Amino acid sequence: MPLFAIITLDAPGSDEARATHREGHLSHFRDNAKDIAVAGPIFNDDGTSKGSLVILRSESADAARAWIERDPFYPAGVWQNIDVSAFKAASGDWAA
């Protein structure tokens, strides 16, 4: 199945929404673990949350976008930007 890189960037002032919806967010990822190649938070230089990176197995970019928009962080306004792009590992542990 094709891979897609999903990069989300946090909205300014979204710390409270992130804390409130964190368990739902983590549950969404646990419930879909079979489709996730790797995922995790990304940080600013000072250690505060900047967003998330997900490498997702999905049929299409549209399906990957729909998947991330089902995450509780999306309707809560945690993310100000979501980028979904096709991904192919060219080097490292995943390289074909």
Side-chain angles (χ1 to χ4, degrees):
M1 187 171 304
L3 294 172
F4 292 87
I6 303 170
I7 300 172
T8 66
L9 296 178
D10 290 355
S14 63
D15 294 343
E16 185 175 329
R18 175 177 280 283
T20 299
H21 297 281
R22 180 176 167 77
E23 187 50 45
H25 165 74
L26 295 175
S27 179
H28 177 66
F29 277 61
R30 281 190 302 268
D31 291 348
N32 294 278
K34 67 180 180 14
D35 297 323
I36 300 170
V38 67
I42 54 178
F43 299 98
N44 293 304
D45 290 342
D46 65 2
T48 59
S49 178
K50 180 177 184 173
S52 300
L53 168 67
V54 182
I55 305 297
L56 184 72
R57 294 177 195 89
S58 184
E59 293 295 329
S60 68
D62 288 342
R65 177 166 290 280
W67 180 86
I68 198 67
E69 289 179 357
R70 287 190 298 274
D71 186 300
F73 279 1
Y74 179 74
V78 171
W79 299 316
Q80 73 173 351
N81 187 53
I82 297 172
D83 181 73
V84 178
S85 300
F87 176 80
K88 182 180 189 286
S91 148
D93 293 341
W94 297 348

